Amino acid sequence: PQTRAITVTREGNVFLDAYPVDMQQLELRLAQHKAANPALPVVLKADADAEYDKVMQALDICKRLDIVEVGLVTKREQ
């Protein structure tokens, strides 16, 4: 299955794959992908300094859409 990637930057920008989206667009596009693939896997990537609220909003959208395969990606400090 095609994994979708949600990215939240430290500036608060949100991307679905490589495309900038707001939260409404994120929900709409994820719903479209979910309709095409009921087992849609999603990876959520966020900068360590990202706005926690945006991360929670993205997770809430996944929950509302019944997307259960959600992976969280973090970057280790070097």
Side-chain angles (χ1 to χ4, degrees), residues 27 53 55-66:
E27 187 163 1
D53 184 54
V55 173
M56 291 305 299
Q57 287 178 40
L59 287 171
D60 284 344
I61 288 170
C62 290
K63 184 177 179 180
R64 274 198 305 275
L65 295 174
D66 198 31

Side-chain angles (χ1 to χ4, degrees), residues 30-55:
L30 282 177
Q32 292 169 341
H33 291 299
K34 172 79 172 170
N37 177 8
L40 181 70
V42 171
V43 174
L44 177 57
K45 305 174 187 179
D47 287 337
D49 298 327
E51 294 179 33
Y52 188 70
D53 184 54
K54 293 277 176 106
V55 173

Side-chain angles (χ1 to χ4, degrees), residues 4-26:
R4 297 293 163 194
I6 301 168
T7 304
V8 180
T9 67
R10 71 176 45 144
E11 294 83 16
N13 299 317
V14 180
F15 295 84
L16 179 57
D17 299 325
Y19 304 99
V21 292
D22 61 27
M23 288 301 170
Q24 283 184 310
Q25 293 169 328
L26 177 65

